Amino acid sequence: MSTILFAVIMLGAIGVIFGLVLTFASKKFHVDVDERVEKVRACVAGANCGACGFPGCDGFAAAVVEGKAPVNGCKPAGADGAAKIAAIMGQEVSDEERMVARVLCQGMKGVAKERYVYDGYKSCATAAGIAGGPKDCRFACIGLGDCMDHCAFGAISMKDGIASIDEDKCAACGACVEHCPRGAIKLLPISQSVIVRCRNSDIARVARAVCSDACIGCKRCMKECQYEAITVENGFARIDPAKCTRCGACAAVCPCNAITNANPVPVEPVMQ
Amino acid sequence: MTMNVLLFLVSCVLTNNYIFSKFLGCCPFLGVSSKVSTAASMGLAVTFVMTIASLFAYMVNAWVLVPLHLEFMQTIAFILVIASLVQFVEMFLKKSMPAIYSALGIYLPLITTNCAVLGVATLNVNNAYGMLQSVLNGTFSALGFLLAIVLMAGVRERLETSKIPECMKGFPISLISAGLMAIAFLGFSGMV
C-alpha cells in the first residue's frame, strides 16, 4: 500500500515540477502573434485557391497584416470579405465591382457540330489535342469539365455538353480561366448582363458552318450600339464593359443569337 | 572509440532499424510518408526529439526512479517526460528559432505520441546504456527512422504513377512495400 502511495506521490511531484517548468516557459517564451492575422484569416474564403498570389490563405493573411497585400486581395471573399478585412486593418477599401467567370460559348449539343464521338480520358486538354477536339469549332467549350475539376467552390457544372457557372458560388479566383484549353472562360463584372458568347475568329462562312450560334463578325451589333461599346476584331464582337449600358439593343439585332442578354427587359436607351 | 561509435551507428540505422526490425513508430511511417519533403521534415523532427528525449529519460530514470526504487513506473514517467519535453521544445523553438518551428510545423506535437520515442527511452534502460550511449542510441535510431521514412516516401511517390490492381491501391500496396523493405533490411542482420 505504501509503495503505491509513494509511487503516486512521486509521479505527481514529477508532473507538478514539469508543469511548473512549462508554465514558466510559456511566460518566458511567449511570442506575440499579431492577433489581426487570425482575424483576417477568418474573413478570407479559406479555399487556398492561390488567386491572391500568396502561399495559401495563411500566407495571404500574414501578408495583409504586414501591408504587403491589398485588403481586397482575396477575390473569393468578395466585397463583404474585403470590407471586413479593411475594418480589421483600419483601411478604406476601394469600390471594385465583383467579377464572375463566364463561359463565352453556347456550343451545346445540337448547336455546335461534332467532329467525332470522344470516348477517351475525361479531360478537355487531352481531347483538344486529338484531331482538333471533338467539336468542329476550334474555339468551342469541349465540355469535359477541366474547369469543373479545378473549381474549388463547386460553382461549375456541365449542362448539355458545355460548362455552366453558378454565379452565386463563383468567387472569380480564375482557376477555370487558367485551365480551359480553349480560353473559353473569362472574368467579367457581374453587372455585365449583355455578353458576346462566342470567340470564333474564323470568317463568317466557316464559323457558321461549325455552329449555329457563332458570331460571324457582321458588325450589326456595332452599328446598333449607341455608346460605341462594341468593337469587331478578328472576326468576332467584343463589348467594353466600361462603355456598355446593358441596354441589350445589340442582342436584339444579332442574327446568330451570339449575344445574350441575361436581363431581357429592354432598358430605355438614354441619349448622352 | 571512433570505431565503436561507427559500428553503433551502422547497427542502429541498418541492422536494428526501429521500423523494419523493431516495428516501432509505424504510425508516422505510414501516415506521413506520402511525400518525400514532408517525410524528411518528420524524420528530422523525430531525430531532434528522440535525441533530447533519450537524455532526459536517462536523467529521470537514473537520478529519480532508480534511487527511489520506482523502476516499475518507467513507462508512465517517460511518457510524462516526453510530452513535457516536446511541449517545452515547441515553445522554445517558436521563440528562438521560428524558421525551424515553421519547418517542423505540425510534426513536432505529433511526435509526442510516437512510440519510437518511448521505445528508445525504454530500450536504453533495458540495455543498461550509460548517458552518452543513450543519447547516441537515440540519435542513431532516429537517423534509421529518417532513412526508413524517406525511402518509404520515395517508394510511395513512385507507386502514385504506377499501374496497381484496383484492390491493391492506396494502403494495401503501401503495407506490402513496407513489408518488402523490412525483408530487404533483414539482409543487414549479422553485419554488426
Side-chain angles (χ1 to χ4, degrees):
Chain A
M1 187 61 205
S2 63
T3 321
I4 297 174
L5 204 63
F6 184 58
V8 168
I9 292 170
M10 281 323 294
L11 258 288
I14 295 177
V16 168
I17 292 167
F18 282 147
L20 287 176
V21 170
L22 283 183
T23 317
F24 175 72
S26 72
K27 288 273 189 306
K28 172 99 178 159
F29 297 125
H30 182 68
V31 180
D32 284 318
V33 178
D34 198 330
E35 61 181 14
R36 291 180 301 177
V37 175
E38 288 288 308
K39 285 185 183 168
V40 171
R41 180 67 182 80
C43 292
V44 299
N48 285 320
C49 67
C52 54
F54 290 93
C57 296
D58 290 324
F60 173 73
V64 166
V65 173
E66 283 172 29
K68 287 179 188 163
V71 288
N72 60 352
C74 182
K75 297 293 174 208
D80 288 352
K84 278 185 204 159
I85 295 170
I88 294 166
M89 297 299 296
Q91 292 177 13
E92 292 289 316
V93 60
S94 60
D95 258 351
E96 202 175 89
E97 199 184 346
R98 198 188 137 208
M99 306 287 273
V100 284
R102 284 186 171 142
V103 182
L104 303 185
C105 178
Q106 304 185 92
M108 302 172 194
K109 285 199 180 88
V111 176
K113 293 226 174 70
E114 292 190 11
R115 199 193 311 270
Y116 56 84
V117 175
Y118 179 77
D119 193 22
Y121 177 62
K122 203 174 150 291
S123 153
C124 303
T126 311
I130 299 171
K135 283 175 181 167
D136 265 338
C137 175
R138 60 196 173 101
F139 305 92
C141 167
I142 297 168
L144 290 170
D146 279 11
C147 48
M148 185 168 73
D149 296 341
H150 287 98
C151 183
F153 304 94
I156 307 182
S157 57
M158 294 297 135
K159 278 182 192 151
D160 288 328
I162 62 166
S164 161
I165 297 175
D166 182 341
E167 295 186 354
D168 291 334
K169 288 185 186 166
C170 176
C173 68
C176 50
V177 176
E178 198 177 314
H179 288 97
C180 180
R182 289 289 161 87
I185 306 179
K186 202 177 169 189
L187 295 180
L188 290 171
I190 190 158
S191 72
Q192 182 64 42
S193 54
V194 185
I195 306 157
V196 183
R197 297 257 186 197
C198 184
R199 290 178 56 260
N200 192 321
S201 63
D202 288 332
I203 55 167
R205 184 173 50 80
V206 178
R208 195 63 196 241
V210 295
C211 179
S212 59
D213 281 0
C215 173
I216 53 174
C218 66
K219 301 192 180 173
R220 277 173 74 171
C221 49
M222 195 169 102
K223 286 165 195 154
E224 188 68 22
C225 183
Q226 303 172 11
Y227 311 100
E228 295 174 345
I230 303 184
T231 49
V232 177
E233 270 173 48
N234 284 339
F236 65 96
R238 295 171 180 82
I239 299 176
D240 181 357
K243 290 183 187 165
C244 176
T245 61
R246 287 73 161 149
C247 70
C250 49
V253 297
C254 180
C256 315
N257 303 318
I259 304 182
T260 58
N261 184 0
N263 187 17
V265 183
V267 180
E268 279 298 312
V270 184
M271 290 302 290
Q272 285 178 324
Chain B
M1 174 68 191
T2 325
M3 197 58 206
N4 280 343
V5 172
L6 270 179
L7 275 179
F8 196 45
L9 173 70
V10 173
S11 134
C12 291
V13 174
L14 298 176
T15 320
N16 295 316
N17 190 292
Y18 260 44
I19 288 175
F20 293 132
S21 67
K22 295 200 173 87
F23 301 104
L24 287 169
C26 283
C27 164
F29 175 66
L30 290 165
V32 206
S33 61
S34 47
K35 270 169 70 188
V36 170
S37 54
T38 50
S41 311
M42 182 70 185
L44 288 174
V46 167
T47 312
F48 188 60
V49 172
M50 262 166 86
T51 308
I52 311 176
S54 316
L55 176 67
F56 278 80
Y58 176 84
M59 295 202 295
V60 166
N61 185 58
W63 299 346
V64 180
L65 297 184
V66 173
L68 296 174
H69 303 291
L70 286 174
E71 288 94 339
F72 57 90
M73 295 302 274
Q74 267 165 7
T75 311
I76 297 175
F78 289 166
I79 291 174
L80 202 62
V81 170
I82 293 163
S84 323
L85 193 65
V86 170
Q87 205 64 67
F88 182 84
V89 166
E90 196 180 349
M91 288 178 201
F92 177 74
L93 284 184
K94 200 171 180 180
K95 177 79 176 180
S96 319
M97 300 167 219
I100 299 183
Y101 175 76
S102 58
L104 295 181
I106 182 74
Y107 303 115
L108 203 49
L110 273 181
I111 293 164
T112 320
T113 51
N114 183 344
C115 64
V117 183
L118 181 62
V120 80
T122 314
L123 285 172
N124 284 341
V125 174
N126 288 357
N127 294 340
Y129 286 158
M131 189 193 270
L132 182 65
Q133 214 173 0
S134 295
V135 174
L136 285 182
N137 187 33
T139 316
F140 294 164
S141 302
L143 288 177
F145 177 89
L146 174 69
L147 176 76
I149 196 169
V150 169
L151 286 180
M152 182 63 179
V155 170
R156 284 181 72 172
E157 279 190 357
R158 287 284 190 90
L159 286 176
E160 284 287 307
T161 50
S162 43
K163 273 195 174 173
I164 300 161
E166 195 61 38
C167 59
M168 288 289 185
K169 271 184 187 163
F171 219 62
I173 194 75
S174 303
L175 285 174
I176 291 172
S177 322
L180 290 175
M181 285 168 78
I183 294 173
F185 267 71
L186 207 64
F188 290 116
S189 65
M191 238 176 70
V192 180

